[in-house]
Amino acid sequence: MSYEPPTPPADLPADIVDTLNEYSSDQLRHVSRYAEALAEYKERTDRLESDNDDEDEERPPDLPDDVLTKATITIKEINDNRYYYWQWREGETVTSKYKGPVKPGD
C-alpha cells in the first residue's frame, strides 16, 4: 500500500472530494458501505424500469396503452353487478382499470 493519498476519480465533483478528505477513516468506511448499498439500489431500480419498458414486445391487441403488459383480468362484484378490471402491481401498489361489464354466460 502506498503512503501517498489516493487520486480521486476525475469525474467526481471537487466539493465531494474535499468533503471526503475531511472525514475520519471510520466515517469514510460508513460512507463506503452506504454508497455501495445506494449504487445497488439504483441499479436494481433501473433494471426494474428497464424490464417494464420491455413489456411492449408482446402486447395483446385489446390492452389499453396505459395498462402494463403484465396486467391480468379480474372480476369485481359491485352492487350485485360483475365487472372486468385490468389489474397489475406497480411496486407496492396494486392498480386497477375498468375493462367492461361481465356478460351473462361469461
Side-chain angles (χ1 to χ4, degrees):
M1 184 174 286
S2 173
Y3 290 103
E4 297 295 318
T7 303
D11 58 345
L12 195 60
D15 58 330
I16 292 177
V17 172
D18 293 341
T19 300
L20 291 174
N21 283 330
E22 295 173 5
Y23 285 2
S24 70
S25 60
D26 283 343
Q27 288 174 313
L28 287 170
R29 294 195 193 292
H30 290 296
V31 168
S32 173
R33 285 191 294 272
Y34 171 71
E36 187 63 34
L38 182 60
E40 288 176 8
Y41 167 79
K42 289 188 174 219
E43 287 169 351
R44 184 174 52 250
T45 301
D46 290 346
R47 196 170 46 249
L48 289 172
E49 287 175 2
S50 174
D51 289 348
N52 285 343
D53 292 343
D54 294 341
E55 290 182 351
D56 291 336
E57 294 173 9
E58 299 176 20
R59 232 176 143 68
D62 64 335
L63 189 65
D65 290 338
D66 58 343
V67 175
L68 297 180
T69 305
K70 64 183 176 182
T72 59
I73 296 175
T74 59
I75 297 175
K76 294 184 180 184
E77 189 167 322
I78 302 170
N79 297 329
D80 294 326
N81 295 305
R82 294 169 25 122
Y83 302 96
Y84 287 118
Y85 281 83
W86 294 103
Q87 197 168 61
W88 65 97
R89 181 174 290 283
E90 292 179 286
E92 297 295 318
T93 305
V94 174
T95 304
S96 297
K97 180 173 178 166
Y98 177 75
K99 182 177 187 312
V102 175
K103 296 180 179 105
D106 279 355

